[in-house]
Amino acid sequence: MKKKSGVIEAGLVLEQLKCNGVLEGIRIVRKGFPNRLMYQEFVQRYTILAPKAIPPGFMDGMKATQLLVEALNLEENEYRMGHSKIFLRCGVVGALEDKRDERIKEVLIGFQTLARGWLARKRYKRLLDLRIGVLVAQRNTRQYFVLRKWQWWRLFTKVKPLLSVTRQEEEFKEKEKEMEKIKKIA
């Protein structure tokens, strides 16, 4: 075995291609299954298309892939199951990806709808509270203008500060009683 430029030893090249798995790949492509995915990768990517196909909990990748393929209604001639991978014909992965993209779009639109609805309700509630506040302020202002020259109202506004002192003393006594109850419990 002498190395020369431009000279290829067919046996050696064939052996290297076998060891690297290239011949196996070529054989699979010739049979018409150029796309291949590990079972776990297939399940992870396409479970969104049939979420109820795989029961919760741990499951073998091959078994999970088989259940998912059945739920996706793939025909027998569109795929082959290997020891660790699923092999798919041309166009099958593209079709699955298109379905997956549509499903993801639906989920995102649903999420976006919920988020926008929540924000709109929050904004509406704030405006409603603001409107109620404005109505209360208007009503109180109107009442003030009606009552401001009434003699009994003037007397009440002058006596009211004196009443709040006695109210504060009553509140203080109530707080002391609550403190004593808490001390007894503790």
Side-chain angles (χ1 to χ4, degrees), residues 33-73:
F33 300 97
N35 301 314
R36 54 187 175 270
L37 295 167
M38 298 291 288
Y39 288 136
Q40 287 306 110
E41 185 181 351
F42 183 82
V43 170
Q44 184 179 6
R45 285 192 69 78
Y46 302 115
T47 300
I48 194 169
L49 297 176
K52 295 180 182 177
I54 301 172
F58 178 77
M59 181 179 281
D60 179 44
M62 186 176 200
K63 179 74 174 159
T65 302
Q66 187 62 43
L67 290 173
L68 189 57
V69 164
E70 289 171 5
L72 293 174
N73 296 325

Side-chain angles (χ1 to χ4, degrees), residues 170-184:
E170 291 173 7
E171 289 176 2
F172 184 71
K173 287 178 183 177
E174 288 178 20
K175 296 287 182 186
E176 282 182 344
K177 288 179 184 177
E178 287 180 29
M179 290 292 287
E180 288 177 20
K181 288 180 183 177
I182 292 173
K183 286 179 182 177
K184 288 179 183 178

Side-chain angles (χ1 to χ4, degrees), residues 68-159:
L68 189 57
V69 164
E70 289 171 5
L72 293 174
N73 296 325
L74 291 180
E75 294 180 19
E76 190 69 31
N77 66 345
E78 293 179 330
Y79 71 95
R80 292 288 184 269
M81 306 284 280
H83 292 291
S84 62
K85 294 180 182 178
I86 181 168
F87 299 93
L88 302 160
R89 286 208 186 269
C90 289
V92 175
V93 172
L96 289 175
E97 284 296 320
D98 289 344
K99 288 180 186 176
R100 181 175 179 266
D101 289 343
E102 282 297 316
R103 181 67 182 128
I104 289 173
K105 186 171 100 177
E106 289 172 8
V107 169
L108 290 176
I109 288 172
F111 176 73
Q112 200 174 35
T113 301
L114 290 174
R116 285 182 176 177
W118 181 79
L119 288 172
R121 282 187 294 278
K122 190 174 177 181
R123 210 174 301 122
Y124 177 74
K125 177 150 179 26
R126 189 178 66 223
L127 289 173
L128 194 61
D129 291 344
L130 186 63
R131 181 176 176 266
I132 290 170
V134 167
L135 291 174
V136 168
Q138 286 176 345
R139 185 186 68 215
N140 289 342
T141 304
R142 272 191 237 110
Q143 286 297 326
Y144 172 74
F145 283 122
V146 169
L147 296 174
R148 75 179 170 178
K149 293 183 181 176
W150 190 35
Q151 295 299 321
W152 285 106
W153 177 253
R154 287 183 181 176
L155 176 67
F156 176 72
T157 56
K158 288 180 182 175
V159 174

